[in-house]
Amino acid sequence: MTTSATAAPESAVAADAVVALRGITRDFGSGPVVRDLDLTVRRGEFMALLGPSGCGKTTLLRMIAGYLEPTAGQILINGSDAVRTPPRLRNIGMVFQSYALFPHMSVTENVAFGLRMRKVARAERARRVREALDLVGLGDLGDRRPAQLSGGQQQRVALARAVVLRPDVLLLDEPLSNLDARLRVQLRDELARVQRETGLTTLLVTHDQEEALAVADRIVLLQGGRIAQEGSPRAVFERPRSRFVAEFLGYENVFELPGRGLVAVRPEHVEVVPADDPTPPHAEALAGTLVATTYRGTYSTATAVVPLPGGDVRLQGVSGSPEPAPGSAVRVVLPEAAIVALTPDPEESE
């Protein structure tokens, strides 16, 4: 492997950068998984690395932690080149998908393990372990073994074990993926609370867009080892830049609109109404045929086929009132404010 040994210019690294990646590439031999990527994680920030399986997010996390060496590029932690620094010397806390608790140790012993390795004095070690367990709501379970805990409790222990080290950055690798849906939401909120209370710089890897939107200050969406888009959750969700980003974030309606080019519209912003309904102001209406409606309790969703110059397009929306019958002529109403213009994906423009 070849890595850059030259220091990055001071002007290239923000003063509040805890982690700065410069030109990071990782190639396992069949092509790069991460490609010439630049990324800065700022002090106190909760960042989410979001993307589908194989996009490079876990590879990126493991390079920051020191478990993988980049093929090229720099990893700066608090301004110092860390590419050759072993994981134990990077002052990084990591929570794995599999918890990775020591089964023969009690909860207290698991949380204290890293402090023992760092030769922290016994009294200080005990105080910090108590604080960490209280922080995650396990102050009364210190004597239990991992096998005596639920999955959610085990994940809290893993979080306490990472937080107790007071790391420069906390890395979370799909930490909630082994939990059921209800517990995922509960633990997701717990993660956000712990991050707020500790102020720890945190980097979360997830494929779950709802999870990223709920906890992150900034989302970085990866596509094929590159950054497809980054920004605040609201900015990324409401204004995706490309087809990939829009479709990944649940924009079912991505199509070529005459005079506009490639656009995206979320189905909840679209209304499918009878063909003789007037078009409201500041909206565009497309003539089509209703395919089906699905009753959702408080509303119905509708699917319509719209003939466009590029071919027929199926669009999803909310059924208007009165509800059209399948096979009837309809108008698909697109509010101007909800139409998002898209640019080609990087792969399409190469």
Side-chain angles (χ1 to χ4, degrees):
M1 293 182 183
T2 59
T3 55
S4 172
T6 58
E10 290 186 9
S11 61
V13 180
D16 61 350
V18 175
V19 177
L21 308 179
R22 295 294 178 262
I24 286 294
T25 295
R26 174 67 200 203
D27 192 331
F28 290 98
S30 57
V33 175
V34 175
R35 310 190 225 180
D36 194 25
L37 185 143
D38 291 346
L39 182 66
T40 298
V41 187
R42 303 183 184 96
R43 182 161 286 106
E45 179 176 38
F46 197 144
M47 176 186 287
L49 285 178
L50 179 64
S53 297
C55 71
K57 55 189 186 294
T58 294
T59 298
L60 204 56
L61 201 75
R62 291 178 65 82
M63 286 192 286
I64 295 171
Y67 299 119
L68 284 176
E69 189 176 319
T71 306
Q74 287 182 295
I75 298 173
L76 304 172
I77 299 179
N78 288 325
S80 298
D81 192 343
V83 167
R84 302 293 184 185
T85 304
R88 69 180 185 279
L89 299 180
R90 294 193 185 195
N91 195 30
I92 284 176
M94 191 157 184
V95 178
F96 298 92
Q97 179 179 341
S98 60
Y99 316 143
L101 300 178
F102 298 113
H104 62 287
M105 293 184 182
S106 69
V107 166
T108 294
E109 291 167 338
N110 264 282
V111 176
F113 181 79
L115 298 177
R116 286 178 53 208
M117 294 299 99
R118 296 185 181 195
K119 311 296 184 186
V120 174
R122 179 177 296 179
E124 172 70 4
R125 189 166 71 227
R127 183 184 68 79
R128 286 169 61 176
V129 168
R130 282 196 305 273
E131 287 179 353
L133 288 177
D134 286 342
L135 181 68
V136 299
L138 295 179
D140 58 345
L141 300 182
D143 293 333
R144 293 194 185 180
R145 298 287 177 88
Q148 298 172 297
L149 304 176
S150 67
Q153 289 171 332
Q154 290 183 49
Q155 191 58 284
R156 286 187 173 96
V157 175
L159 179 60
R161 185 176 60 184
V163 168
V164 78
L165 299 176
R166 297 174 181 169
D168 291 324
V169 61
L170 177 63
L171 305 179
L172 307 172
D173 186 11
E174 300 269 12
L176 309 180
S177 60
N178 288 337
L179 306 176
D180 63 49
R182 181 188 60 81
L183 200 52
R184 281 177 70 100
V185 173
Q186 182 181 342
L187 265 291
R188 180 191 75 194
D189 295 342
E190 284 291 299
L191 281 178
R193 178 187 62 81
V194 168
Q195 195 276 335
R196 287 195 306 269
E197 292 185 11
T198 62
L200 279 174
T201 304
T202 303
L203 186 55
L204 166 71
V205 158
T206 181
H207 64 274
D208 186 327
Q209 58 158 303
E210 184 178 339
E211 191 171 291
L213 292 168
V215 302
D217 302 316
R218 182 158 52 116
I219 287 175
V220 177
L221 182 52
L222 297 181
Q223 176 189 15
R226 293 185 175 128
I227 296 175
Q229 189 169 341
E230 64 177 299
S232 70
R234 184 179 296 276
V236 173
F237 185 76
E238 294 184 359
R239 290 291 156 184
R241 293 177 187 161
S242 69
R243 176 188 290 273
F244 167 80
V245 175
E247 291 181 341
F248 186 83
L249 294 177
Y251 282 74
E252 286 92 341
N253 302 319
V254 179
F255 61 103
E256 293 281 346
L257 185 61
R260 300 289 192 97
L262 188 65
V263 300
V265 189
R266 293 194 65 81
E268 60 267 29
H269 296 151
V270 175
E271 190 174 17
V272 180
V273 300
D276 55 357
D277 274 20
T279 301
H282 310 295
E284 184 161 342
L286 304 174
T289 303
L290 185 70
V291 175
T293 58
T294 304
Y295 180 63
R296 304 287 186 182
T298 57
Y299 67 97
S300 293
T301 58
T303 302
V305 172
V306 175
L308 292 174
D312 289 352
V313 176
R314 293 171 70 93
L315 298 181
Q316 311 291 324
V318 177
S319 180
S321 181
E323 187 172 295
S328 61
V330 293
R331 290 163 68 81
V332 180
V333 180
L334 311 171
E336 289 287 346
I339 300 173
V340 181
L342 303 178
T343 57
D345 289 329
E347 282 77 2
E348 296 174 2
S349 60
E350 287 182 346

